[in-house]
Amino acid sequence: MPVDLPTGELTLTGRITTASNATFVGSIGDTTVVYKPIAGEKPLWDFPDGFLAHREVAAYLVSEALGWNVVPRTWLRDGPLGEGMVQLWQEPDPDQKAVDIFSPDDAPQTGWRHVLEGEDETGRTVALLHEDSVALRRMAVFDVVVNNADRKGGHILAMAGGHRHGVDHGLTFHTDHKLRTVLWGWLGDDLSSEELKGIERVSEGLDGDLGRDLANLLSDEEIASLAVRCARLRSAGRFPAPRGGMPAVPWPLF
């Protein structure tokens, strides 16, 4: 009989030491998962309210409403270190990269979008590019909707077959504009009809089951801000530009 993921025994098998908050790899039966206990969260000056684990689950719910499978299945449950976020482990294809650094002379001319240029630690000029794909466009739309403040290149999992998963969504849903992402390559481009339909599905869901589920995870003000972002994005009909005084990309980039 398959193990019930929300209630089955969660066994820790390792720790992801590069994460800024306590993050563990574990298993529920034969299923590998990521577990981030609320007790292991470090307070952040710009996200002082609520829990990162709640924001991760809220991001999954919005991803489901969009209908694009951006975020792997994510839920709240008890674990060895108390309640936390649990997410299905995804193993990316090591031969694929959705975001990469190139020498400007070697940057691909087709199939990729240019984001920025800068200098590496040796003073060499480099360019940041990301692939030009439907899956990654949808992730960029998702990031605008949830106001993702931390879309690093390493938070994009390039899966075999071309799908792209986004992970690490604790810094989302702020009421202030916080969008920091490496996915700026479509700046000013028109949104597709399917992208607009996805945003509309989120807007409609806020008046139904999605809104009720988010109410257990986010504040009323955060949910209202989510509705405003959806309305503005649908009205503009195009990918937004960076704004405000904060950096438009996260650091580090990967």
Side-chain angles (χ1 to χ4, degrees):
M1 177 180 293
V3 175
D4 184 62
L5 293 178
T7 61
E9 182 180 3
L10 171 56
T11 302
L12 303 187
T13 57
R15 181 167 185 173
I16 301 175
T17 57
T18 55
S20 55
N21 294 281
T23 303
F24 300 89
V25 178
S27 61
I28 305 173
D30 294 331
T31 301
T32 303
V33 298
V34 176
Y35 166 56
K36 298 181 181 180
I38 291 175
E41 295 181 3
K42 298 178 182 178
L44 299 171
W45 70 268
D46 53 346
F47 281 81
D49 301 319
F51 299 115
L52 304 184
H54 286 188
R55 298 178 188 279
E56 295 245 30
V57 177
Y60 167 72
L61 295 178
V62 171
S63 168
E64 288 295 282
L66 285 166
W68 302 331
N69 190 28
V70 174
V71 183
R73 181 181 172 185
T74 310
W75 65 100
L76 285 175
R77 58 156 290 168
D78 195 26
L81 300 175
E83 185 179 56
M85 177 225 83
V86 176
Q87 185 175 84
L88 294 182
W89 176 268
Q90 305 296 320
E91 190 65 44
D93 183 346
D95 295 327
Q96 295 189 47
K97 286 187 178 180
V99 183
D100 208 351
I101 298 290
F102 299 89
S103 164
D105 293 336
D106 297 330
Q109 299 301 307
T110 60
W112 290 72
R113 294 284 182 128
H114 183 277
V115 178
L116 57 82
E117 289 189 2
E119 293 184 351
D120 65 11
E121 63 276 9
T122 67
R124 180 174 59 101
T125 300
V126 294
L128 175 69
L129 282 77
H130 62 67
E131 66 180 15
D132 188 3
S133 67
V134 171
L136 210 59
R137 275 181 63 109
R138 289 176 172 179
M139 190 182 299
V141 173
F142 163 82
D143 284 341
V144 177
V145 169
V146 302
N147 197 17
N148 191 358
D150 197 32
R151 176 60 71 205
K152 295 181 172 70
H155 295 170
I156 300 168
L157 306 184
M159 310 301 294
H163 188 69
R164 274 58 181 130
H165 277 305
V167 296
D168 288 317
H169 298 115
L171 303 186
T172 48
F173 297 104
H174 204 289
T175 55
D176 296 335
H177 177 75
K178 294 281 186 179
L179 185 60
R180 294 192 291 266
T181 174
V182 296
L183 301 180
W184 286 112
W186 298 285
L187 189 157
D189 283 10
D190 290 340
L191 297 170
S192 70
S193 60
E194 175 52 33
E195 288 160 354
L196 289 168
K197 289 177 183 177
I199 300 165
E200 183 176 0
R201 287 191 288 270
V202 175
S203 295
E204 293 175 348
L206 292 176
D207 293 325
D209 291 343
L210 176 62
R212 287 189 288 272
D213 291 340
L214 290 178
N216 297 318
L217 303 166
L218 305 173
S219 69
D220 291 344
E221 293 78 12
E222 288 167 334
I223 296 173
S225 294
L226 169 60
V228 169
R229 287 193 299 275
C230 288
R232 287 177 176 171
L233 193 54
R234 289 173 62 196
S235 176
R238 64 176 60 90
F239 284 93
R243 61 182 174 88
M246 296 292 290
V249 295
W251 189 259
L253 296 173
F254 289 87

